[in-house]
Every structure is written in C-alpha cells, then in structure tokens.
Amino acid sequence: QVQLVESGGGLVQAGGSRGLACPASGTIFSINFMGWYRQAPGKQRELVAEISSSGRTNYADSVKGRFTISRDNAKNTVYLQMNSLKLEDTAVYYCFAEVRSSSRWDFVRYWGQGTQVTVSS
C-alpha cells in the first residue's frame, strides 16, 4: 500500500555533510510521524530523529546540533540533513512514516529499505 525509498546515502568524509530524502508513495490519507532510524554493525537500531505532522521534532542526543530533520507534507517526504559527520555516524539509515490510508484506519508504520551512510577519515 505504501512505499518509502531512501536516497542520498554514500561515502562522505568526516566533518562533511550529507542529505537524505525519503518520499512516501501509495495510498495515503494522512501521515503522522516521519523519521529516521539507523543501525550500525553490531549495534541496536536507534532512533535518530522524528518529526510530527505539525513540525515537532525529537533528536537522539548523539546528533543534536548536527542533524536536522524536516518534511514536506505536500510531497510526503521526510529529509535528514547531516552536518559535521563523525565516524560513529556510519550506519544504514532507515526512514519511517506512520501512515493512514483511510480516515477510518489506524496509523501503520512503514519502513524504507535503508541507505548506507559511510563516514571516512
């Protein structure tokens, strides 16, 4: 019903910047929260940032001041601007969206397939 596809991953030097985008497509009535998780090898998947439909944001302490989450409701797209990247930011980044496909249905969380972000020294 709903698909999310991340883009923008790749190799970036420490201290550099990278922007990720994740548009949602399919049968969408409304979207509540959107956001990003990441998972590094051998580590638990962690919430990086999330943003509500009204623009309220939450960030992991590890990325506060460096990452910025935003969304374009007209395009059903969530973004993650990553600045001052560190080696420990290396991970697969997954976007999510909590979507209602009908006004009668509950929100369902959908996931993208992930995009690799590798920070090198």
Side-chain angles (χ1 to χ4, degrees):
Q1 292 183 350
V2 177
Q3 294 182 340
L4 295 90
V5 181
E6 302 94 338
S7 64
L11 180 65
V12 61
Q13 193 171 10
S17 299
R18 198 81 177 185
L20 306 181
C22 180
S25 62
T27 305
I28 299 172
F29 176 77
S30 64
I31 302 178
N32 190 14
F33 276 86
M34 305 183 81
W36 298 87
Y37 281 75
R38 68 185 181 186
Q39 188 166 28
K43 291 188 175 182
Q44 185 86 8
R45 184 163 62 172
E46 64 175 344
L47 177 67
V48 178
E50 61 182 0
I51 182 168
S52 73
S53 60
S54 62
R56 299 188 304 275
T57 59
N58 294 310
Y59 294 94
D61 288 340
S62 59
V63 307
K64 285 182 179 178
R66 299 189 299 119
F67 290 10
T68 301
I69 189 169
S70 61
R71 64 190 284 172
D72 185 334
N73 290 331
K75 296 181 178 180
N76 293 323
T77 300
V78 62
Y79 305 90
L80 186 68
Q81 179 62 44
M82 304 182 292
N83 299 325
S84 301
L85 282 161
K86 304 175 180 179
L87 292 177
E88 53 263 40
D89 295 318
T90 295
V92 177
Y93 285 72
Y94 300 88
C95 66
F96 75 88
E98 296 175 346
V99 179
R100 283 203 294 176
S101 295
S102 168
S103 63
R104 302 173 183 171
W105 298 356
D106 292 335
F107 286 98
V108 176
R109 178 171 289 196
Y110 294 90
W111 294 90
Q113 59 190 3
T115 186
Q116 176 71 44
V117 175
T118 302
V119 183
S120 66
S121 61

